[in-house]
Amino acid sequence: DERLEELIGIGDHQVDVERDRRDRAQRTHHRRSHGEVGDEVTIHHVHVDPLRAAGDGALVATAPAKAAFDAFTYDPANPVISHGGQISGVGADQKDGAFDQRDIEARKDVLVYTTAPLTEDLAVFGFITTDLFVSSDAPDTDFTVKLVDVEPNGMAWNIADTIQRMRYRDGYDKPPVMMKKDSVYKVTLQPLTTSNYFAPGHRLRIEVSSSNF
């Protein structure tokens, strides 16, 4: 059966990004962009910027003045498929790596949130934490989050993704807990791990849905 799922909000620590400020003690990491390992770059001061989803599809640093929610109807018989990423499937239609995600993002059961174009370069590496505030008319479902690098020409490259089954939201070592209709739950998904360089003019994007396989 189809089910209605609502994203009530994305918490204050949706995406923790580490920004190159070029003014403190040096650290180095290897640049990764669209599946390629480039030159070694120097990361100086590390600053954590939480990003939040606004109800108009924007991904912003400042919390919206008024709370809002987005909703989508998910049909398990027509799941959102994986297009790249780190996958374990087999077959000609199962390929890992970075691919343009715009066809996925055009689906009505995928919520998309995007920042404004970056005015300076941005290095994101390490763990990315995502908090969702969700509701569903089903007793159990999955929620997925995908981090995407959007080029100025619109190409949308998948960088990292994660998934959480709601019955295990309290931990996989604890008894499963089902959801209740009309109740709102905060869930922290398993951290994404990435190392990516976002060039000026690029945008960060988050996709939210209920499947990715």
Side-chain angles (χ1 to χ4, degrees):
D1 295 335
E2 292 185 348
R3 53 184 184 245
L4 177 65
E5 303 186 343
E6 297 179 344
L7 179 67
I8 309 301
I10 297 184
D12 286 349
H13 300 286
Q14 182 206 355
V15 181
D16 291 338
V17 299
E18 297 176 337
R19 182 181 298 275
D20 181 359
R21 295 296 188 184
R22 299 182 178 178
D23 62 357
R24 295 269 179 104
Q26 296 185 349
R27 300 201 313 179
T28 60
H29 84 296
H30 289 284
R31 169 180 173 180
R32 179 190 181 279
S33 182
H34 311 328
E36 298 179 359
V37 177
D39 297 334
E40 186 177 273
V41 298
T42 302
I43 302 301
H44 302 265
H45 175 56
V46 172
H47 178 75
V48 178
D49 290 336
L51 297 178
R52 306 164 179 88
D56 57 358
L59 195 59
V60 297
T62 303
K66 185 178 180 180
F69 69 91
D70 294 314
F72 63 93
T73 300
Y74 176 72
D75 181 1
N78 182 28
V80 179
I81 64 171
S82 297
H83 188 38
Q86 296 180 352
I87 60 177
S88 59
V90 296
D93 61 339
Q94 297 288 325
K95 297 180 179 179
D96 58 3
F99 295 92
D100 189 357
Q101 302 296 305
R102 284 179 289 184
D103 287 346
I104 300 294
E105 295 168 352
R107 293 178 56 127
K108 294 182 179 181
D109 52 1
V110 178
L111 303 179
V112 178
Y113 304 93
T114 311
T115 67
L118 298 174
T119 58
E120 59 182 11
D121 56 340
L122 177 67
V124 180
F125 63 100
F127 295 103
I128 300 172
T129 302
T130 309
D131 293 335
L132 301 181
F133 295 83
V134 300
S135 180
S136 176
D137 61 3
D140 191 26
T141 188
D142 296 333
F143 282 99
T144 64
V145 170
K146 185 190 302 176
L147 174 65
V148 179
D149 183 354
V150 184
E151 294 188 3
N153 64 6
M155 293 281 286
W157 300 93
N158 54 300
I159 301 300
D161 54 74
T162 185
I163 186 171
Q164 178 65 53
R165 181 151 295 178
M166 287 299 293
R167 71 173 70 181
Y168 300 120
R169 61 189 178 275
D170 294 334
Y172 292 99
D173 59 340
K174 298 180 180 180
V177 181
M178 298 300 178
M179 295 186 294
K180 296 180 180 179
K181 186 177 180 180
D182 299 325
S183 295
V184 177
Y185 301 92
K186 177 183 177 180
V187 57
T188 300
L189 281 74
Q190 295 294 311
L192 299 89
T193 305
T194 191
S195 177
N196 192 73
Y197 170 78
F198 295 85
H202 286 226
R203 291 174 290 163
L204 280 75
R205 176 171 290 166
I206 292 293
E207 300 174 16
V208 178
S209 189
S210 281
S211 68
N212 184 9
F213 56 82

